[in-house]
Amino acid sequence: MKQRHLRLLLVLALVALAAVGLTACGSDDSKSDSTSTADGASTETTTTASDAGGAIVSNAANGKVTLTIGSKNFTEQKVLGEIYAQALQAAGYTVKKQLNLGDEQTALKTLKQGDIDAYPEYTGTALLSFFGVKTDALPHDPAAAYDEVKADFAKQDLVALPPTPFTSSNEVAVTQATAAKYGLKNISDLAKVADQLTLYGSPECRQRLDCLLGLQKTYGLKFKKFVPVDLSQRSKVLSGGQADVSIVFTTDPQNKRDKFVLLKDDKGMFPPYNSTLVVRKASFDKAGPDLATTIEAVNAKLDAAVVQELNARIDLDKETPEQAAGEYLKQFGFVK
Amino acid sequence: MSTPLAILGIFGDAIDFIFNAREARTGGAEVGGLGEFASLTGKHLLVTVAAVGLASLVALPLGLYLGHKRRGGFLAVSVSNVGRAVPSLVLIALFIAFLGVGFANVALALALLAIPPILTNAYVGVTQVDRDVIDAAVGQGLTDGQVMRQIELPLALPLIFGGLRTSVVNVIATATIAPIAGVVTLGDPIISQSVYGDAGKLAAAIVVALLAVVAEVGLGAAQRAVTPAPLRGTPGATRRGRFFVKTAGKGLSTS
C-alpha cells in the first residue's frame, strides 16, 4: 500500500514538474512574443516634426547629473537607446547605458527599481502589457494613445516624453509581383482574392485583433489558408515564395530591400505603436529642462523610413547600434 | 505564506482554463475550454503518432536486422548518441529552412528525434538474446526468418517497448514547438502566451504532461500484454516473490 501511495505521489510530482518545466520553456518564447507585440501593429504617421534648431548644445551644469539609459533586447530598441544616450551625452549629461534588458516587464521593473532612469517603450505595448487595455479597446489615434499612456505612467511616478513620429506596427505585406497581379494597394483590396491566397504569420497572429482575427473581423477577409510560423521567418516566407501574404513590421529592413508592398490599413485596424521615452519622475526633475528638449529634438527625425534604415544597417550591414546611432545624430546635424 | 497560495491559485486558474472558455487576453476571441483543448490535443496526438509511426517503420526493421546479424552496433549506438545531442528546436528550425512548414515536415523532424531510442533499444534487445537459445532454435531447423520472428522478436519485446516509450514521451513533449512550423498543437497556448495568458500557458503544459504520463503508463501496459508470459513478471511481483509462489504452485499441481 505504502509503495502504491509513493508511486502516485511520484507521478503527481512528475506532472507538476513537467508542467512547470514546460511553462519555463514557454517564457523564453513569450519573451520573443512580447518583442513582437512591441514591434507589432499599425498606421503610418510620418510627420515632419518641427526642427528643434540644429545641433545639441552642451550645458556644463548637466555634468553632475548621471542618467542611465536602458532598452529592451532587440535591434530597434538598442538603436533608440543609443541615440538617446549619445544625444544626452552631447547635451552635457553623464550617461550610462544598459541596453539589453529583455522584455518590457523586465525593463519596467528595472526602471521602477531605479537601476535605469529611462527607456523607450511603444505606446501600444504599454497600454496592452502594463495597463491592461484589450486590443479592441486600444485608441487608433497616435495622440490619444500617447495621452492615455502618459496619464497611466504618471500614476506610477513615471514621465512619458512625447513620442516618435514613427510607429512600429504590424503590416500586411505582399511581393511586388502579387500586388501587380491582383492590383493591391489597400488591405481591403484583398477581399476579392483572399480565398486564393495563403497568409503566414506568427502563431499568436491567429487570435489577435491586430492580426488574422482583425483581418477577418474588420475586413471580412477569408484566406485560403493561415500558416503559423516562427516570427523570425516573417520576411523569408514572402521572399521565398511560400507565402502570398505575410504579416511583417513597419520598420523591418527587409521591407525595403526585398521591395515588399505594404498594404494600406484603410479601415484603421492597427493600433498605434509610437515610441515614447519613459523617465523616472525623480530623474526627470533632477535632470532639468534639457532632457526633454534634447529627446524631442532627436525624436523629430525618427520616421519609419529612417528607423527602417537604422535597423537595416545593424541587422543586414552588421554595424553596431552605437555606430548607427552616431551616424544618425551626425546626419541630421545634432552632433558634429 | 502567500507564495504557495499564489502558486496554487495559478494552478487552479489553469485547470479552470482547460474546462471553461474565456476571452483572450488580447480581446476579440474565445480561448480555452474543452472544445479547443480537444482539437489541440487531437492535432498533438496525430502528429505524435505520425512521427513515431514513421520512426518505427525505419528504426525497428533496421534495429532487428542489425541485432540479428550482430553487426553495426557502432552505428546503432552513435546514431542514438548524435540524435540525442541535436536539440529538437534546431532540428525544426533546419526543417523550416530547407523543407518549409506543414504537417509532413513537422512529422518528419519529430520522427528523426524518435528514431534513436527505438533503433538502439531494438538492436540491444536482439543482441541480448541468449546465444544458446538461438543455437538451439537453429539446431531444430528454424530458418533465419523464423529465428528473427519467433525467437528474437518476442524476447526483445520488453526493450523494444522501452525504446518506443522513450520516443513517444520525447515526441509528445517536443511537439509543443510545432506551432512555429505551421501545425497548431498543444504548444500554441504555450507559444502564444500574449493571447492565452499565463493560465492558458500553464493549462497546456499540464495537458502535455498528462499526455506524456498516460502514454508512458499505457505503453507500459501494452508492453506487458505482448510480452510472452514466462518473461512477464512485473518487477513489483518478483520483488514480493509472487512470481515464484505462482510457479511453485503450478509445479505442485502438475506433480
Side-chain angles (χ1 to χ4, degrees), chain A residues 177-249:
Chain A
T178 310
K181 187 173 166 194
Y182 299 109
L184 305 174
K185 262 178 84 181
N186 300 325
I187 296 180
S188 53
D189 295 340
L190 282 168
K192 306 161 293 205
V193 290
D195 58 351
Q196 306 164 38
L197 303 175
T198 303
L199 172 74
Y200 277 55
S202 67
E204 59 180 24
C205 180
R206 191 165 57 94
Q207 288 170 317
R208 287 184 67 114
L209 281 169
D210 56 3
C211 217
L212 178 61
L213 192 64
L215 290 174
Q216 290 167 338
K217 286 195 168 177
T218 312
Y219 285 94
L221 299 179
K222 283 213 170 60
F223 287 96
K224 186 171 88 183
K225 211 168 106 191
F226 169 73
V227 183
V229 283
D230 194 46
L231 200 59
S232 62
Q233 304 291 315
R234 63 186 182 272
S235 303
K236 275 183 224 156
V237 290
L238 202 55
S239 49
Q242 292 119 300
D244 299 311
V245 185
S246 180
I247 304 294
V248 301
F249 301 153

Side-chain angles (χ1 to χ4, degrees), chain B residues 54-80:
Chain B
L54 201 62
S56 305
L57 276 181
V58 176
L60 275 184
L62 187 65
L64 291 178
Y65 178 77
L66 290 178
H68 176 72
K69 293 285 177 198
R70 307 205 173 214
R71 250 196 272 143
F74 175 74
L75 176 77
V77 172
S78 29
V79 162
S80 164

Side-chain angles (χ1 to χ4, degrees), chain A residues 15 22 31 51 61 108 116 132-133 142 149 164 183 186 221 224 239 243 254 265 282 301 326:
Chain A
V15 171
L22 276 168
K31 219 171 258 177
D51 283 63
L108 183 67
I116 57 173
V133 178
V149 164
T164 54
N186 300 325
L221 299 179
K224 186 171 88 183
S239 49
Q254 289 86 354
D265 180 20
K301 297 292 178 195

Side-chain angles (χ1 to χ4, degrees), chain B residues 29-254:
Chain B
E30 288 269 296
V31 292
L34 280 179
E36 180 169 25
F37 270 96
S39 88
L40 291 177
T41 307
K43 212 28 166 314
H44 202 99
L45 288 178
L46 201 62
V47 79
T48 303
V49 167
V52 176
L54 201 62
S56 305
L57 276 181
V58 176
L60 275 184
L62 187 65
L64 291 178
Y65 178 77
L66 290 178
H68 176 72
K69 293 285 177 198
R70 307 205 173 214
R71 250 196 272 143
F74 175 74
L75 176 77
V77 172
S78 29
V79 162
S80 164
N81 289 341
V82 172
R84 270 171 222 202
V86 178
S88 27
L89 198 58
V90 172
L91 209 62
I92 298 259
L94 277 178
F95 267 72
I96 298 179
F98 291 109
L99 293 175
V101 298
F103 188 87
N105 290 326
V106 171
L108 205 57
L110 291 173
L112 286 185
L113 181 79
I115 284 174
I118 300 178
L119 178 61
T120 312
N121 274 39
Y123 174 82
V124 173
V126 172
T127 49
Q128 268 187 354
V129 173
D130 196 338
R131 196 78 237 193
D132 293 346
V133 176
I134 295 168
D135 287 344
V138 174
Q140 287 197 324
L142 268 68
T143 64
D144 243 23
Q146 282 172 321
V147 168
M148 276 176 80
R149 273 196 310 277
Q150 295 171 18
I151 312 288
E152 290 175 339
L153 181 63
L155 289 173
L157 267 181
L159 267 179
I160 290 175
F161 261 86
L164 275 176
R165 280 159 81 170
T166 311
S167 281
V168 168
V169 171
N170 270 353
V171 171
I172 285 179
T174 311
T176 46
I177 58 177
I180 66 164
V183 182
V184 181
T185 63
L186 280 168
D188 204 45
I190 298 175
I191 291 171
S192 307
Q193 193 240 3
S194 72
V195 171
Y196 288 86
D198 284 337
K201 183 163 84 169
L202 191 59
I206 290 173
V207 175
V208 171
L210 276 176
L211 276 188
V213 170
V214 167
E216 171 80 21
V217 172
L219 281 172
Q223 169 184 346
R224 219 159 300 140
V226 299
T227 306
L231 295 171
R232 211 172 280 167
T234 58
T238 9
R239 214 180 301 141
R240 280 174 223 144
R242 215 183 275 160
F243 183 75
F244 299 107
V245 172
K246 209 197 258 168
T247 42
K250 243 185 205 159
L252 271 178
S253 65
T254 43

Side-chain angles (χ1 to χ4, degrees), chain A residues 170-181:
Chain A
N170 279 4
E171 298 281 350
V172 178
V174 295
T175 57
Q176 270 185 331
T178 310
K181 187 173 166 194

